[in-house]
Amino acid sequence: MDAIADTTIAQAPGAASHATEDTPSLLAVVIETNPLFWVPLQQQTELKSVIESLIVAMNAHLAINNSNEVIVIAAHSGKAQFLFPDPNVLKNDTNPPKMDSHSPNSVSNKSTSPTPDVIDDKRQYLKNKNIYRQFKLMDESVFEKLEQLFNDTVADNSKFKSTVPGAISMALTFINRMRQVREGITMNSRILVASVGGDQTMSYIPTMNSIFAAQGMRIPIDVCKLGNDSTFLQQAADVTGGIYLLITNPNGLIQYLTTVFFIDPSIRNYVALPVNNNIDFRASCFITGNIVDIGYVCSVCLCVLSMIPSDKKCPTCESTFDPQALEKLARKPFVKRKVVANGNSETPNATPTPAGTPQPK
Amino acid sequence: MDSDEDEYVAKNPTSKNAGKSGMAKRTRKHGDDDVMMLLEDSEEDPGEADEDEGEGEEDDDDDGEYYGRKTKKKPGRGNQKKKKTKVRIDDNLKGKDGGYAWEDKIKRSWDIVKEDKDGSLEGLVSGLLEANKMKKIYKNVTPFQRGIIRSLILVIDCSRAMSEKDLRPNRYSLTIQYALEFVTEFFDQNPISQLGILGMQNGLSMVISDLSGNPIDHINNLKQLKKKDPEGDPSIQNALEMSRGMLLHTSPHSTKEVLIIFGTLFTSDPGDIFKTIDHLVNEKIRVRIIGLNAQVSICSKIVKETNYGDEKSNYGVILNEQHFKELLNDCITPLPVIKKLSSEAEGVQTTPQQKTFSLIKMGFPKRITEVDPSFCSCHSNLNYGGYICPFCKAKICSLPAVCPTCNLMLISSSHLARSYHHLFPLKNFEEVKFNEVDKSINLESQEPFKANFQYHQCYGCLMEFPVKSGSIVDPKLMKTTSRYQCLDCHKQFCIDCNVFIHEHLHNCPGCESNV
């Protein structure tokens, strides 16, 4: 009865502040699990402890509001996969994806995935079986799926490309679906990316496309970066209004997660958060790969060049440039030389002697 | 006169209500069928018939002639004969049976509605919805060289005819509302382009918003315009001449485009509009027109001449609000660069090879933050931080901009990245057929069969597909599997994800997670 009363108050026009507090929020977590990227971090931390910290943070997110939801996607080597909600559990649900289901039949629906007994035989994932049901559903699914993922992984050094852009794309398609299914119910969504790989592992255009899609949907992308800085992810956080934080001390990860990343985007304006002001928005040259300050951009394909190509053709789209325009670009600044009356031209670097202000007589 | 009237109507098959009054009156004998030409399937707009009749001079015709009813000399008999022998039928006028479109059997929208065994319409309705969504996302995905850097003049008809209430609340308000959305979307997709807005009123052209790259100015100016009332007659010639003037000083590498939203059926011009068209052709200004009323001959002439003969994709007459929106959205995608400049059909003097490809010098400034505020060089406002021009070290407060000190174009790399999906479009997904997994299913047989699929849920959103593996499918009722497959990674997606991926994301989640 109280619950009903609460919702009526929350929806009343006078209770706007209540409404913002109570708006449920969906947290999409993208974890980069590609083993190759974790090798350089061996000295600092390991995947297991990071997952544990993330699990605590996600449980906290679920606990803070009864209608909050979490989705977890692993960006593994060569594939991105949902860890939670478990695709197999959802399979027999005729309803749209539902993660915080209190209905008891959502577990019994696991027809193709191992039944709870089998899991018990295989491995006990959780120490305490009597934890809060929503925690249990998510934690078990994440551990189980991760284990499957690592068991299936074959050592392959060629899979050095990051699947984070793909995982973000999947998170966006999922959120898009949730928005269509729950028309009329406002739900804040945000994406948290726990990434370890550097820029060179991510393909530029897909990353940018997903960033702009997230921006269009008003979904902030928070980045919890381990290892080295990533310009792409810095831009992702900046463009979408999320937080970018380079974790220098991974042992304290849980602290970062439950303080900085835990704050709901609606109240971020009132909290002093780490700001990242030195984002590099410069582009890199398509030929040399150098970062350019002033460059030349092809008017057809927008590729960035640090110099005028010698064959007067765009290296990407092969359009031939207008020679006149190139000539104009290549022209050096013109210094006008003064011709002195006696015929000797003045040296260009000679500083003109000040004539002096005319004095009043 | 009868056949004259008929021909007049025949010239306007694409317009939504042209000549309705003329057609509705008579029954014409043709072949064995008595064809009642009541145009009952078209969108009805009462109150416009008179206007159509009144402005008969400006009809569409395929010869590019500027003739109206009074100049039609062809005798009625000859006209009939021409049709019987099927000498040449314009593709635009062709119906399904090979004859003219109006000779086809009338198809009523309710004919396709059939109930399934349980008397439910659910399957059919969802099928229709899907077909609609598919239509929206089907795009030509051939990567073209596009003129990414654009200069576009948006011309809005602000004449008396815009106060018509056939669009809600009226044409004028809706047009401005859509224009506002257009401006936002335009700059989102074309961040390094420029836009200017003109209005046509009282036979004059007025500047609503100057050519600039700042969307906020345009939006404010359009909001101001909303308070005014439409009045007087429009003049296309004045609008085009003014657009020419505004586009005169744009850089040579940018495309010059004009988009006219035209709600009237005539134009009251001070001079010879054909001279203006010739000027436009010479200056390579491409004109697109969206008609709110009916197709007008002079508009199609302008569009045809300025777009190298391609009238179809550049001149659209709206059917309803939704279609209006779609036509506007079409203009957001940058136009492909046309290399071949053939204007032999019109006999206009041929112009030399277009030289729009060039390199543009651009600066990528670094963002700074300051403890103490300083003045920006663009607005002379005090602010904390901004961007520093790499060439002259002046402080600018926002990007993209042209440095006020050294005239260098300043942008950030993410602005460039916004345009990349136009240049590298995502491939269309293909619908999965029922017999993909089970080859023994014969789709032609019309017999119910057992469906068999590889995937059970959408890869992007985990939603289960409506048609399940093992369910019995009646091909008469179930036309679609609701599964769409990426041709590269062979992952399957639902229709909503398909739309979202192609409209907003421009990434295939399957391909990106399989690298």
Side-chain angles (χ1 to χ4, degrees), chain A residues 332-339 345-350:
Chain A
K332 291 272 181 307
F334 184 67
V335 182
K336 205 175 183 183
R337 294 181 183 208
K338 257 188 202 165
V339 180
S345 65
E346 217 176 275
T347 43
N349 54 356

Side-chain angles (χ1 to χ4, degrees), chain A residues 180-231:
Chain A
Q180 290 189 353
V181 168
R182 315 208 167 156
E183 222 175 319
I185 304 172
T186 48
M187 182 160 225
N188 299 325
S189 318
R190 65 182 201 266
I191 298 176
L192 171 64
V193 183
S195 156
V196 279
D199 270 348
Q200 66 281 2
T201 63
M202 276 197 269
S203 11
Y204 181 63
I205 293 173
T207 315
M208 283 298 162
N209 282 341
S210 20
I211 293 171
F212 297 134
Q215 187 196 19
M217 295 167 79
R218 291 170 204 278
I219 298 172
I221 299 180
D222 296 336
V223 182
C224 168
K225 189 80 185 70
L226 294 152
N228 297 321
D229 258 328
S230 155
T231 318

Side-chain angles (χ1 to χ4, degrees), chain A residues 205-347:
Chain A
I205 293 173
T207 315
M208 283 298 162
N209 282 341
S210 20
I211 293 171
F212 297 134
Q215 187 196 19
M217 295 167 79
R218 291 170 204 278
I219 298 172
I221 299 180
D222 296 336
V223 182
C224 168
K225 189 80 185 70
L226 294 152
N228 297 321
D229 258 328
S230 155
T231 318
F232 293 172
L233 292 175
Q234 277 180 344
Q235 293 191 12
D238 184 70
V239 168
T240 58
I243 304 167
Y244 176 92
L245 193 60
L246 179 71
I247 312 284
T248 43
N249 185 2
N251 293 328
L253 182 63
I254 183 69
Q255 181 117 27
Y256 294 115
L257 288 173
T258 49
T259 51
V260 177
F261 294 110
F262 196 62
I263 295 162
D264 195 82
S266 57
I267 50 169
R268 281 186 185 171
N269 290 339
Y270 310 106
V271 184
L273 287 165
V275 279
N276 197 2
N277 286 318
N278 299 314
I279 302 165
D280 202 343
F281 280 113
R282 291 175 299 175
S284 53
C285 170
F286 278 42
I287 305 175
T288 59
N290 296 336
I291 302 280
V292 284
D293 267 336
I294 301 175
Y296 300 99
V297 177
C298 167
S299 70
V300 180
C301 67
L302 297 184
C303 79
V304 182
L305 307 169
S306 57
M307 76 276 229
I308 298 170
S310 50
D311 57 353
K312 302 201 161 107
K313 265 185 182 176
C314 171
T316 320
C317 65
E318 297 193 341
S319 11
T320 316
F321 299 126
D322 180 10
Q324 277 181 343
L326 289 187
E327 216 169 85
K328 248 185 205 171
L329 284 176
R331 205 163 53 192
K332 291 272 181 307
F334 184 67
V335 182
K336 205 175 183 183
R337 294 181 183 208
K338 257 188 202 165
V339 180
V340 188
N342 60 13
N344 297 335
S345 65
E346 217 176 275
T347 43

Side-chain angles (χ1 to χ4, degrees), chain A residues 78-79 91 206 215 293 295 297, chain B residues 360 362 364 418 464 507 513:
Chain A
K79 65 173 173 183
K91 201 193 126 191
Q215 187 196 19
D293 267 336
V297 177
Chain B
I360 308 145
M362 283 187 184
F364 298 92
R418 268 177 203 279
E464 206 184 338
N507 267 348
S513 59

Side-chain angles (χ1 to χ4, degrees), chain A residues 27-68:
Chain A
L27 177 66
V29 181
V30 172
I31 312 172
E32 193 161 32
T33 57
N34 191 334
L36 280 180
F37 302 154
W38 283 89
V39 175
L41 287 173
Q42 268 171 335
Q43 304 300 321
Q44 293 182 30
T45 184
E46 57 179 339
L47 177 65
K48 192 178 162 227
S49 65
V50 171
I51 297 278
E52 277 169 4
S53 306
L54 280 169
I55 288 274
V56 173
M58 290 185 291
N59 283 347
H61 178 79
L62 286 178
I64 201 163
N65 185 332
N66 201 23
S67 336
N68 275 3

Side-chain angles (χ1 to χ4, degrees), chain B residues 480-495:
Chain B
T480 166
T481 55
S482 310
R483 286 149 207 250
Y484 301 89
Q485 180 172 277
C486 169
L487 294 176
D488 289 333
C489 65
H490 299 288
K491 297 278 193 296
Q492 296 182 355
F493 297 90
C494 65
I495 179 73

Side-chain angles (χ1 to χ4, degrees), chain A residues 204-205 207-217 235-236 238-241 281 301-302, chain B residues 148 184-193 332-334 399-400 411-424 503-506:
Chain A
Y204 181 63
I205 293 173
T207 315
M208 283 298 162
N209 282 341
S210 20
I211 293 171
F212 297 134
Q215 187 196 19
M217 295 167 79
Q235 293 191 12
D238 184 70
V239 168
T240 58
F281 280 113
C301 67
L302 297 184
Chain B
I148 291 291
T184 320
E185 191 70 9
F186 179 83
F187 281 106
D188 198 49
Q189 305 274 315
N190 306 283
I192 43 180
S193 301
I332 287 168
T333 315
L399 292 183
I411 51 163
S412 80
S413 54
S414 59
H415 287 118
L416 291 180
R418 268 177 203 279
S419 300
Y420 282 150
H421 72 259
H422 294 307
L423 302 165
F424 314 106
E503 293 254 290
H504 301 284
L505 190 57
H506 309 292

